[in-house]
Amino acid sequence: MHDLVFGYKKILITVNPHSDMTKDSLPNIGTVATKEIDGLSIRYAQVGVSNGIPIFLTAPWPESIYSFHRLVTHLAEEHQLLLVDLPGFGLSQSRFDIMSPEAMGDFIIRLLSNFGIRRTHAIALDVGTPAILFTASKQPELFESLIIGGGAMRPDLADGPLKELIFSPTGSLATIGADGVKSYLEQAAVLTPAPIIEDFRAASSGRRLEDATQYVRGYIQDSPKLEPLLSKIKTPTLIIAGKNDKIVPPVNGKFLAERLPNNRNILLEADHRVWEEAANEFNDAITLWVDEDYHLLVAPRYLH
């Protein structure tokens, strides 16, 4: 089973984009703390200016809020950022009843309310994609725009180790821990600094890998409920992913592009970890989107 698990080869501060981490320290992504929300300890980071529409980011799996350490330096000088390890991911606490896309989408509503956020740009890649789409279908007024991609939209559209995980029996990963993401982290370490890799490793320690896997098992029952809702989500949406992704193939972005009424679909020259493997192009696309491009998709009929 080991080979099947990710066997892929409130004061805000401003980040100095010219400062860098040392080889032994995590990068500066702002004020990192934990907060109890809905009875769970949630790790988050806040950084940037205190005015304007904030940007909410959720961590991809099996990574953490430090995945976006490069993007933070692009956005923090002009935007307020809230980076969050959702329940069961990164170093946030898990609970069984929240570990499915629709339940996580409902949790995001409570989380944004807890931080006093009434409207936001949301960057929710990978496992965040189906959750944020459920949120947007229920509370569209929360979102100025969405940035999604790299998330499986149906179990049959996943591939490789992710597909194996979706159909794995409950409890089957309870004793594997971080060994289950060893090959993923070894590949990630080619581009990602060692202290961040250690943070990712901690995110899958003990039972955490099993708890996180319960979320993707939830695709089986939640994906059929999400599909008919997509045509009703009118929020301007950027779909961005790697064109060579073998975990969540590009057909998933096409699936979204054909159903969301107000979107732009971008494929970058990358595998799954588009935020690192095509970092410059990814960061430029996100910055341009939140600064101006999303306005181009806000047609008059979406302004009411």
Side-chain angles (χ1 to χ4, degrees):
M1 189 65 182
H2 286 56
D3 293 338
L4 297 179
V5 183
F6 289 108
Y8 163 65
K9 52 162 191 173
K10 321 205 10 215
I11 296 174
L12 304 182
I13 66 173
T14 300
V15 166
N16 178 357
H18 302 294
S19 68
D20 202 0
M21 61 192 292
T22 69
K23 66 178 182 179
D24 298 319
S25 65
L26 286 163
N28 179 11
I29 60 170
T31 302
V32 179
T34 60
K35 187 174 190 178
E36 184 172 315
I37 302 174
D38 196 23
L40 297 171
S41 176
I42 302 299
R43 185 173 70 162
Y44 67 95
Q46 286 183 299
V47 66
V49 298
S50 58
N51 60 300
I53 299 170
I55 300 174
F56 167 59
L57 303 93
T58 68
W61 182 45
E63 302 192 13
S64 77
I65 51 177
Y66 286 98
S67 298
F68 298 119
H69 67 110
R70 302 185 199 280
L71 180 61
V72 165
T73 62
H74 281 249
L75 297 177
E77 289 190 339
E78 297 185 6
H79 300 276
Q80 177 185 162
L81 309 182
L82 172 64
L83 300 90
V84 174
D85 285 337
L86 290 173
F89 300 107
L91 294 186
S92 288
Q93 191 176 8
S94 181
R95 193 172 65 222
F96 190 84
D97 63 298
I98 289 177
M99 298 307 290
S100 67
E102 184 173 18
M104 191 71 76
D106 292 340
F107 177 85
I108 288 171
I109 295 172
R110 299 191 291 276
L111 181 146
L112 293 175
S113 175
N114 193 282
F115 279 97
I117 294 176
R118 297 182 178 179
R119 193 161 180 88
T120 183
H121 295 283
I123 302 176
L125 305 179
D126 191 71
V127 291
T129 291
I132 209 74
L133 288 170
F134 270 114
T135 310
S137 72
K138 297 179 181 184
Q139 297 280 329
E141 69 279 4
L142 285 173
F143 300 107
E144 184 77 0
S145 79
L146 303 175
I147 300 168
I148 58 176
M153 299 315 301
R154 288 196 324 232
D156 62 299
L157 297 182
D159 205 354
L162 177 58
K163 195 167 188 177
E164 297 283 353
L165 290 169
I166 290 170
F167 291 101
S168 65
T170 299
S172 60
L173 305 177
T175 62
I176 292 178
D179 285 346
V181 296
K182 181 179 179 181
S183 58
Y184 180 98
L185 297 183
E186 287 175 347
Q187 181 66 27
V190 174
L191 297 173
T192 303
I196 297 179
I197 295 297
E198 289 309 306
D199 191 73
F200 294 170
R201 194 184 316 279
S204 293
S205 64
R207 278 191 56 91
R208 295 189 62 80
L209 181 61
E210 167 62 27
D211 292 341
T213 300
Q214 189 58 33
Y215 176 87
V216 298
R217 294 181 186 120
Y219 290 3
I220 295 171
Q221 72 267 7
D222 282 2
S223 295
K225 293 188 284 185
L226 179 59
E227 183 173 352
L229 301 176
L230 298 177
S231 63
K232 301 176 176 65
I233 299 173
K234 298 177 181 179
T235 308
T237 300
L238 176 64
I239 305 162
I240 187 166
K243 65 171 61 175
N244 305 311
D245 193 339
K246 297 176 179 61
I247 295 174
V248 182
V251 66
N252 290 275
K254 184 173 183 288
F255 179 96
L256 289 169
E258 291 173 346
R259 289 162 176 80
L260 292 168
N262 200 17
N263 76 83
R264 179 174 298 166
N265 187 17
I266 298 176
L267 286 174
L268 300 182
E269 198 63 59
D271 294 321
H272 183 67
R273 304 183 71 238
V274 63
W275 50 91
E276 284 278 48
E277 295 163 352
N280 291 337
E281 295 82 359
F282 177 82
N283 293 340
D284 288 346
I286 300 300
T287 303
L288 184 62
W289 174 264
V290 297
D291 285 347
E292 57 182 272
D293 269 12
Y294 84 94
H295 289 293
L296 302 177
L297 294 183
V298 184
R301 66 183 180 278
Y302 299 132
L303 293 176
H304 301 294

